[in-house]
């Protein structure tokens, strides 16, 4: 992907790829590679790519997004069904597709106010009343759409990120569009996330994480697998909502906490500022739009888009805000409707009320809340103890109330100061500081460092993704210690299963089918009490190697559904056990973590 191209709606990419002849589809990946190497020139809402000296591809993106196939034009002789248009769409970031319009005037009015009707209330999402009158089930259209998503996602898993080229990606984008039209925004968004992750993997994006792509694949396959059989509240959750529902929240008095930059693989960038009210509830103000690193760093100095205030994100993170007529989403995001009024107010230091109470909550309680689906921010008081060298780079070691904690960078993009700031903080060894971090659900206590109390001025704070620390900010005589090698921990060997789950995401079925004998790994898992993990590992390799032949000895098409089910069971199990181990590592008690190892039969049933 190239950040110079505007985001393209999934339905547009799917339409252009589907229009290609079989011969051109085989050349699409090469066409994408060639196109992204060409210069792109932006002129207002138009982006022009010079394919050669005589031919241009033009993308028209009113509002920053390409929403129709006719908005991508090419001057070659094969247009409109040419390779260049499909390659441009496939190379561009995937846009968030608007929900299908509803004919009901009341629902349209809600949409204009930033709210979304209750999922499943449109004409394409009326429930089938096949059982008792009070039982709501998925519609036939929704079941068909879920199957389409499942088949397309299974095909991507079959090929792996390495083999999932533009044609398979377009198939999943088409399935995402179908799901959205059927009233399944969660499945649609999950499918788009998989495509975004695959593209990041194939383009060697520095922000790509294999674990994130594995999680996205597990989400889309899990939703598509469960939805046809779901009823009631479970069905509502699996359908999802097409838009954040904003609700009136009266008047708010907010205190700035910190700001963080946003830079995604989908081509969006900006800033999010976190605030809290007097009761410790968290609210966010965001400014995220299509863009690259320059927008991520520059958005902090743009005025927040709420009311008439002239505060920038950087200023709000240290000041306060008085809001009247506030509207708030379930995740705490503040709306910016015409009826919202906001003025600047005084802020508060982290050690002063009301912000001080955020750090008074025990770490274990905060982790339990995050693992149970709540806010994943952690407000901790730590003592820096050194640095440790890991395969992904150095991270800080800290003591948190006697608990060894690893603090890693929140973003690796070199245009952001995260990593430079972490290196400097390593020199403040022995300093006791308040921090804000984001939980990483791993067996060992770990978090992504977002903001920190100033090392020499407790009344100040540092937003690690936006502010740059200097040597003068450190305690006198501070010297960064050499990074230590990561100690070998006596952990539950869940990695024996996790690495196979990740290998399938990266290399597809063929990698596991040719991985050789894994009986030793399965035996080790069973010997250490993880019998289900051993069974799932055997099942996963058996599904990968399961290829039948016809009467002439030729390989028959692979059973992608069988392999996807085996992989999903292993992925769900791994995630559940990792969360339980994470809770144990922090000393947290959570709901929803298994008290005993689930059986492979239970996982297979979903």
């Amino acid at each position: 992907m190239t950040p110079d191209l505007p985001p393209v709606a999934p339905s547009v990419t799917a339409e252009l790829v589907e229009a290609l002849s079989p011969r051109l589809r085989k050349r699409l990946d090469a066409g994408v590679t060639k196109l992204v190497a060409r210069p792109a020139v932006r002129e207002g809402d138009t982006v022009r790519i010079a394919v050669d000296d005589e031919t241009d591809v033009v993308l028209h993106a009113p509002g920053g997004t390409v929403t129709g196939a006719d908005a991508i034009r090419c001057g070659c002789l094969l247009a409109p069904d040419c390779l260049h248009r499909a390659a441009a769409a496939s190379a561009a970031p995937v846009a968030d597709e608007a929900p299908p319009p509803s004919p009901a005037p009341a629902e349209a009015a809600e949409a204009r106010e930033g709210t979304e009707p209750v999922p499943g209330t449109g004409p394409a999402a009326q429930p089938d009343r096949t059982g008792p009158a009070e039982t709501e089930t998925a519609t036939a259209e929704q079941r068909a759409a879920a199957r389409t998503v499942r088949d397309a996602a299974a095909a991507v898993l079959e090929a792996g990120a390495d083999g999932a080229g533009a044609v398979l990606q377009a198939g999943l984008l088409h399935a995402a569009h179908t799901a959205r039209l059927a009233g399944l925004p969660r499945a649609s968004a999950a499918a788009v996330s998989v495509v975004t992750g695959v593209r990041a993997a194939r383009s060697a994006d520095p922000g790509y994480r294999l674990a994130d792509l594995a999680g996205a694949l597990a989400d889309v396959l899990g939703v598509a697998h469960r939805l046809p059989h779901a009823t009631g509240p479970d069905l509502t959750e699996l359908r999802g909502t097409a838009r954040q529902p904003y609700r009136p929240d009266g008047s708010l008095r907010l205190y700035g906490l910190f700001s963080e930059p946003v830079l995604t693989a989908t081509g969006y960038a900006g800033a999010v500022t976190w605030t809290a009210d007097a009761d410790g509830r968290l609210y966010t103000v965001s400014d995220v739009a299509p863009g690259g690193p320059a927008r991520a760093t520059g958005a902090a100095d743009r005025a927040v888009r709420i009311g008439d205030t002239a505060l920038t994100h950087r200023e709000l993170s240290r000041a306060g805000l008085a809001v009247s007529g506030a509207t708030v989403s379930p995740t705490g995001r503040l709306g910016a409707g015409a009826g919202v009024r906001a003025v600047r107010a005084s802020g508060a230091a982290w050690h002063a009320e009301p912000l001080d109470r955020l750090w008074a909550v025990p770490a274990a309680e905060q982790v339990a809340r995050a693992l149970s689906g709540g806010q994943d921010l952690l407000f901790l008081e730590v003592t820096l103890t050194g640095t440790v060298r890991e395969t992904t780079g150095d991270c800080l070691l800290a003591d948190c109330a006697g608990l060894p904690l690893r603090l890693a960078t929140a973003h690796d993009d070199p245009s952001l100061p995260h990593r430079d700031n972490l290196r400097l903080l390593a020199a403040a060894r022995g300093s006791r500081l308040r921090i804000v971090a984001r939980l990483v659900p791993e067996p060992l206590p770990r978090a992504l460092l977002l903001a920190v109390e100033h090392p020499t001025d407790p009344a100040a704070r540092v937003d690690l993704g936006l502010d740059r620390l200097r040597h003068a900010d450190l305690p006198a005589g501070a010297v960064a210690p050499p990074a230590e090698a990561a100690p070998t921990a006596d952990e539950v060997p869940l990695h024996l299963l996790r690495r196979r789950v990740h290998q399938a995401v990266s290399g597809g079925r063929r990698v596991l089918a040719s991985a050789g004998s894994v009986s030793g790994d399965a035996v080790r898992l069973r010997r250490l009490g993880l019998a289900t993990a051993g069974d799932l590992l055997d099942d996963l390799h058996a599904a990968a190697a399961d290829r039948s032949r016809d009467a002439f000895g030729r390989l028959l098409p692979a059973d992608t559904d069988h392999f996807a089910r085996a992989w999903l069971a292993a992925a769900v199990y791994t995630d559940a056990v990792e969360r339980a181990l994470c809770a144990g590592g922090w000393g947290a008690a959570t709901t929803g973590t298994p008290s005993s190892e689930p059986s492979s039969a239970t996982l297979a049933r979903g």
Side-chain angles (χ1 to χ4, degrees), residues 481-501:
E484 305 171 0
T488 302
D490 186 18
E491 299 180 38
V492 176
L494 195 62
H495 65 277
L496 298 176
L497 179 61
R498 185 197 309 113
R499 71 181 179 185
R500 299 302 184 187
V501 170

Side-chain angles (χ1 to χ4, degrees), residues 166-249:
V167 173
L168 285 179
Q169 294 169 30
L172 189 50
L173 291 178
H174 174 75
H177 180 63
T178 301
R180 181 167 290 273
L181 292 179
L184 302 177
R186 178 177 172 183
S188 177
V192 170
S193 295
V194 170
V195 174
T196 298
V198 168
R199 290 183 177 182
R202 294 172 63 86
S203 63
D205 189 313
Y208 166 72
R209 294 290 181 272
L210 178 58
D212 293 342
L213 178 54
L217 261 171
D219 187 26
V220 70
L221 286 170
V223 169
H225 173 75
R226 293 168 53 201
L227 189 138
H229 316 288
T231 59
D234 189 36
L235 175 61
T236 300
E237 178 192 355
L238 292 172
R239 281 173 174 163
T241 54
R243 185 183 289 112
Q244 290 281 7
Y246 286 81
R247 297 290 181 261
D249 205 15

Side-chain angles (χ1 to χ4, degrees), residues 297-543:
T297 55
D301 296 312
R302 298 165 66 99
V304 297
R305 294 187 292 183
I306 177 171
D308 299 324
T309 178
L311 276 173
T312 67
H313 283 269
R314 195 185 300 274
E315 291 170 336
L316 177 58
S317 68
R318 292 160 175 81
L321 204 62
V323 186
S324 62
T327 57
V328 184
S329 78
T331 59
R333 181 176 176 179
L334 291 171
V340 180
R341 299 288 182 268
V343 296
R344 179 172 186 155
S346 59
W350 282 0
H351 285 272
E353 288 293 341
L355 300 184
D356 181 67
R357 68 184 59 188
L358 294 171
W359 280 265
V361 180
E365 186 177 329
Q366 296 185 50
V367 171
R369 175 191 63 203
L371 292 176
S372 299
Q375 182 53 249
D376 62 355
L377 290 187
L378 303 179
F379 300 89
L380 307 173
E381 194 158 337
V382 303
T383 300
L384 302 182
T385 59
T387 56
V388 65
R389 182 174 296 108
E390 298 181 336
T391 55
T392 55
D394 294 351
C395 70
L396 282 176
L397 294 177
D399 178 88
C400 179
L403 190 71
L405 172 64
R406 297 188 182 191
L407 299 171
T409 56
H411 208 294
D412 289 330
D413 193 284
S415 63
L416 302 176
H418 284 290
R419 191 160 294 283
D420 292 340
N421 285 334
L422 186 138
R423 292 193 185 101
L424 276 174
L425 281 173
R429 185 174 184 174
S431 297
R432 186 166 182 78
L433 304 171
R434 286 191 168 183
I435 66 170
V436 181
R438 181 167 283 120
L439 176 67
V440 177
E442 292 185 357
L444 293 176
R446 184 183 185 88
L448 304 179
L449 195 55
L450 301 172
V452 64
E453 178 184 327
H454 195 282
T456 57
D457 183 2
R461 67 197 69 160
V462 181
D463 297 339
L464 296 175
L466 298 172
D467 304 325
R468 286 193 178 273
L469 281 169
R470 309 295 179 189
H471 283 286
D473 297 317
L474 303 178
V479 177
E484 305 171 0
T488 302
D490 186 18
E491 299 180 38
V492 176
L494 195 62
H495 65 277
L496 298 176
L497 179 61
R498 185 197 309 113
R499 71 181 179 185
R500 299 302 184 187
V501 170
H502 287 181
Q503 280 179 342
V505 174
S506 179
R509 173 204 288 266
R510 64 185 181 278
V511 172
L512 296 188
S514 61
S517 174
V518 292
S519 59
D521 288 345
V523 169
R524 183 183 175 191
L525 287 167
R526 294 187 182 97
R527 185 174 66 246
L528 294 173
L530 296 178
T532 300
D535 292 344
L536 290 172
L537 183 58
D538 286 341
D539 291 347
L540 182 58
H541 278 274

